[in-house]
Amino acid sequence: MSVERLGRLAREHDLRVAVVESLTSGGLAHTVGAGDDAARWFAGGIVAYMTDVKVHLLGVTAGTDPCSAACAAQLAAGGRELFGADICVSTTGIGGPDAENGHRPGTVYLGWAVEGAHGDELLTVDGSPEHVLSVAIEAAIRLLIERAEDFAIRPTIKD
């Protein structure tokens, strides 16, 4: 799975792509932004670590556990709206090396949002914080590709 495939799908289907990151601290945006002709299809990304930023800027419901499926889905939905994107994927979780708030290191939630739908995915990753972030970025790219492929199989409506 590569960002080249994501870029090709985005260009072919005129998609606008965005990302929201907590766990990956800009690494996902850096990877996506390196794709071919990204200026045509990558709307941008935002890094939101602090919970109040997630609430005020991205519409996460106050009191939502920042390491949860609900938070990941809400981050993606808020990012999609903020960037006017067709697809947005988010990352949140605990990179490690220590547990936080009852969550073990390597607990990663990815969120996704497209018009009319959103969801989440849980990853449990063993290894160093660097490894956890690398796996999270790779999985987020895969998720972006999967959502872009969904656009490729949608029936087109003719006038």
Side-chain angles (χ1 to χ4, degrees):
M1 308 263 174
S2 70
V3 74
E4 287 79 21
R5 175 143 177 76
L6 174 61
R8 187 171 57 256
L9 286 163
R11 288 188 308 273
E12 287 173 3
H13 301 286
D14 197 27
L15 300 176
R16 187 174 169 117
V17 175
V19 298
V20 174
E21 302 177 74
S22 181
L23 173 68
T24 49
S25 189
L28 177 57
H30 175 79
T31 302
V32 172
D36 286 344
D37 211 12
R40 283 185 47 205
W41 52 270
F42 182 43
I46 186 165
V47 176
Y49 262 37
M50 294 184 167
T51 302
D52 66 319
V53 173
K54 293 172 186 170
V55 169
H56 296 295
L57 187 62
L58 295 161
V60 173
T61 303
T64 300
D65 181 348
C67 180
S68 68
C71 184
Q74 290 177 42
L75 287 171
R80 184 185 163 288
E81 183 176 325
L82 182 68
F83 285 101
D86 297 297
I87 304 167
C88 185
V89 165
S90 68
T91 64
T92 193
I94 309 300
D98 301 316
E100 290 181 38
N101 299 321
H103 300 288
R104 70 177 285 285
T107 302
V108 176
Y109 287 95
L110 303 176
W112 61 268
V114 298
E115 184 176 356
H118 66 274
D120 58 83
E121 186 175 306
L122 169 64
L123 305 174
T124 304
V125 183
D126 291 323
S128 69
E130 294 79 14
H131 178 70
V132 172
L133 270 56
S134 175
V135 169
I137 290 168
E138 182 178 310
I141 297 292
R142 175 193 45 78
L143 193 53
L144 283 165
I145 291 169
E146 288 173 4
R147 296 295 74 86
E149 287 172 339
D150 291 344
F151 280 87
I153 61 173
R154 286 185 178 180
T156 55
I157 299 171
K158 297 187 180 201
D159 295 328

